[in-house]
Amino acid sequence: MQEQQQFQQQQTFPFKLYSMLEYACDSEFSSCISWTADGSAFIIHDKEVMMDNLAPMFFNQTKFRSFTRQLNIWGFVRTVTIDGWRHNHFLRGRPHLLNEIERIPVKSTAKAEALAQQVLNAAGSAKNVAVAAKHNPFNPQMRMIMLISALQRQRQRLSHNFHSHKLLLKAK
């Protein structure tokens, strides 16, 4: 049973991505995708070559948009300084950390808040999220964080108005 669970985990997006990066580093595809020098992120240099020739060896999707959607769903964030992708548990030479990467459900408000927290965790700090949002406001995760923030502010205003109205009714 445990072997089957490990096999299923190794079929998830982070494991396939890690395998693809390791394969690319030692092949003719090193010019289309690579790890950063410190191994804490990866950079896509040529998305067309990657999606046409390399990605089909590891993934079913063949569209770059689907690939980036998967990155977002699994909690990867864009790095502002190097135009790459990173996740705190996606590090070169440390494949055992891949088990820590969880797919983010995004169907409800509670799940959206979990997404926002995971994005914050992956980015390392609120300042990094703010910088990333400023540079890439169209990123789905950044939009989600901005939406959650706006909803929380509105909930606070409504709660304040409700309690104020309740006190007025009691006074009468």
Side-chain angles (χ1 to χ4, degrees):
M1 180 70 174
Q2 189 177 14
E3 288 177 12
Q4 184 180 11
Q5 187 178 13
Q6 279 184 324
F7 177 76
Q8 287 174 341
Q9 282 179 326
Q10 292 175 355
Q11 298 303 309
T12 62
F13 181 82
F15 282 91
K16 291 179 180 181
L17 177 59
Y18 188 90
S19 297
M20 183 176 80
L21 273 158
E22 289 299 301
Y23 175 80
C25 287
D26 298 325
S27 72
E28 69 271 17
F29 298 111
S30 61
S31 62
C32 68
I33 187 169
S34 65
W35 289 100
T36 57
D38 66 357
S40 66
F42 67 93
I43 302 169
I44 300 169
H45 307 285
D46 188 337
K47 66 182 181 183
E48 287 80 21
V49 171
M50 184 189 85
M51 294 311 296
D52 291 344
N53 302 308
L54 181 61
M57 299 165 81
F58 297 88
F59 302 104
N60 292 331
Q61 74 257 22
T62 57
K63 294 183 180 172
F64 188 71
R65 188 172 186 177
S66 298
F67 180 79
T68 56
R69 183 173 184 271
Q70 286 297 312
L71 288 169
N72 289 316
I73 287 172
W74 284 92
F76 287 80
V77 293
R78 294 290 307 259
T79 57
V80 179
T81 55
I82 59 168
D83 195 31
W85 292 86
R86 69 178 299 277
H87 190 288
N88 286 343
H89 299 296
F90 193 81
L91 304 169
R92 187 171 194 186
R94 301 185 67 191
H96 62 281
L97 293 177
L98 298 175
N99 290 321
E100 302 296 320
I101 301 175
E102 295 180 8
R103 189 173 193 275
I104 303 168
V106 290
K107 295 282 183 191
S108 71
T109 303
K111 292 178 182 178
E113 288 176 2
L115 167 68
Q117 186 59 49
Q118 185 143 359
V119 169
L120 236 165
N121 292 343
S125 73
K127 183 179 178 183
N128 289 348
V129 170
V131 169
K134 181 180 177 185
H135 291 295
N136 192 3
F138 301 106
N139 180 308
Q141 292 171 330
M142 296 307 127
R143 284 195 314 250
M144 186 66 67
I145 289 170
M146 290 185 277
L147 175 64
I148 290 168
S149 178
L151 288 171
Q152 288 173 337
R153 285 192 305 275
Q154 181 157 354
R155 187 180 80 193
Q156 288 173 342
R157 282 193 300 269
L158 290 172
S159 177
H160 175 74
N161 291 344
F162 173 77
H163 290 297
S164 297
H165 184 67
K166 193 174 174 183
L167 289 173
L168 287 173
L169 289 175
K170 273 187 178 180
K172 288 184 178 183

